[in-house]
């Protein structure tokens, strides 16, 4: 079984400041890792994903995340946030086996302060 | 990728009533999923559907729930007799074959309120 922990339910950050959203996972099998974003009144949209290879993955809108196997973490970062980044961010995993379901974290709401 | 659309955007129903939530339109995809998010909680997997059959379902997906693809495009989730605890946001998604880390494309969701 897999689980995902996002310790921060809300993160306020000033515009143009850097941000890191934390994600830790637990799994008895190898997993793929994802970050999804949900803008107000919209569906979930993929930001980036880690399948294999380089542990630093780059996604849309200037976001990146680093897979750390020893710490079972997949933290999301952006060097300079914009007001348009206001959204809910979900870390997620799927098993590398036949499983297709996504296991989500509870989400982190990013508040951009002017 | 074309969008996944869902109707209605908001459904209010009385406890014990049947509701049908729809994904429209969907074409050229074989793998579909339903998830739900109770307010303040995490997004939870309900069921996956492949080639007109349930591929996997969670413990949440009990006998009150059913899914079908009645006309080859719409993908529906039916709750036969709604309970208060069914109030949640329900997301439909489409995706590729399982096990490959494929992206799932989500609809905007249907907010179900059971009174």
């Amino acid at each position: 079984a897999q689980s995902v922990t996002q310790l921060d339910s809300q993160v306020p950050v000033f515009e143009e400041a850097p941000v890191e959203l934390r994600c830790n996972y637990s799994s008895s099998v190898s997993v793929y890792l994802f970050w999804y974003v949900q803008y107000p009144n919209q569906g979930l949209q993929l930001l980036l994903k880690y399948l294999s290879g380089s542990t630093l993955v780059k996604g849309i809108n200037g976001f990146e995340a680093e897979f750390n196997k020893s710490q079972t973490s997949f933290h999301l970062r952006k060097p300079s946030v914009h007001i348009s980044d206001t959204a809910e961010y979900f870390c997620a995993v799927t098993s590398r086996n036949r499983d297709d379901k996504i296991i989500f974290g509870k989400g982190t709401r990013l508040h951009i302060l002017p | 990728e074309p969008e996944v659309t869902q109707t209605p955007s908001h459904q209010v129903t009385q406890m014990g009533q049947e509701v049908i939530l729809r994904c429209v339109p969907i074409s050229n995809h074989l793998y579909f999923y339903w998830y739900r998010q109770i307010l303040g909680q995490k997004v939870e997997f309900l069921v996956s559907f492949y080639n007109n059959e349930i591929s996997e379902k969670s413990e949440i997906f009990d006998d009150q729930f059913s899914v079908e693809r009645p006309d080859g495009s719409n993908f529906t989730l039916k709750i036969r007799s709604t309970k208060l605890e069914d109030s949640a946001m329900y997301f439909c998604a489409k995706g590729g074959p399982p096990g490959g880390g494929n992206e799932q494309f989500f609809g905007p969701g249907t907010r179900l309120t059971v009174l």
Side-chain angles (χ1 to χ4, degrees):
Chain A
Q2 299 91 44
S3 67
V4 178
T5 301
Q6 292 180 251
L7 289 174
D8 304 308
S9 58
Q10 295 188 60
V11 172
V13 62
F14 287 103
E15 196 168 12
E16 298 184 7
V19 68
E20 179 179 82
L21 305 183
R22 296 180 293 168
C23 171
N24 289 88
Y25 69 93
S26 172
S27 177
S28 56
V29 299
S30 295
V31 296
Y32 299 117
L33 295 149
F34 305 81
W35 275 97
Y36 280 82
V37 60
Q38 185 179 27
Y39 298 105
N41 301 314
Q42 295 186 30
L44 297 160
Q45 178 183 355
L46 182 68
L47 264 183
L48 49 79
K49 62 182 179 181
Y50 173 76
L51 302 184
S52 64
S54 173
T55 56
L56 182 65
V57 292
K58 295 187 182 298
I60 62 172
N61 301 337
F63 283 91
E64 64 182 31
E66 186 155 22
F67 169 56
N68 187 318
K69 187 175 183 179
S70 63
Q71 296 185 7
T72 60
S73 67
F74 191 54
H75 301 330
L76 181 71
R77 296 190 291 259
K78 185 171 183 178
S80 176
V81 297
H82 188 267
I83 194 74
S84 60
D85 294 321
T86 298
E88 185 118 22
Y89 292 80
F90 295 92
C91 183
V93 301
T94 61
S95 165
R96 286 179 181 258
N97 300 334
R98 202 202 167 283
D99 289 354
D100 47 7
K101 61 181 179 289
I102 299 176
I103 306 299
F104 286 93
K106 287 189 72 172
T108 298
R109 185 168 297 277
L110 182 60
H111 288 287
I112 309 300
L113 307 171
Chain B
E1 284 281 350
E3 287 185 0
V4 175
T5 59
Q6 292 183 241
T7 60
S9 57
H10 190 188
Q11 174 88 48
V12 181
T13 189
Q14 296 290 325
M15 190 170 57
Q17 294 297 306
E18 175 184 283
V19 294
I20 298 176
L21 311 182
R22 291 183 172 83
C23 263
V24 291
I26 292 181
S27 60
N28 299 324
H29 277 77
L30 297 175
Y31 300 87
F32 307 99
Y33 309 83
W34 281 101
Y35 294 83
R36 80 171 186 190
Q37 184 181 28
I38 295 173
L39 187 64
Q41 299 185 24
K42 59 178 66 178
V43 178
E44 301 172 291
F45 168 79
L46 289 177
V47 65
S48 57
F49 190 81
Y50 166 62
N51 202 25
N52 294 320
E53 291 184 352
I54 290 176
S55 176
E56 185 178 357
K57 60 183 180 180
S58 72
E59 62 273 13
I60 302 169
F61 195 87
D62 60 23
D63 292 342
Q64 292 297 317
F65 291 88
S66 62
V67 290
E68 62 178 7
R69 210 176 166 202
D71 56 10
S73 61
N74 294 349
F75 178 48
T76 64
L77 174 70
K78 181 191 292 185
I79 309 176
R80 290 190 183 81
S81 178
T82 51
K83 302 185 286 289
L84 294 176
E85 54 264 37
D86 294 326
S87 294
M89 196 75 167
Y90 288 82
F91 295 103
C92 170
K94 63 180 183 182
N102 292 298
E103 176 181 357
Q104 292 184 16
F105 297 91
F106 286 79
T110 293
R111 182 169 298 282
L112 176 64
T113 302
V114 182
L115 303 176

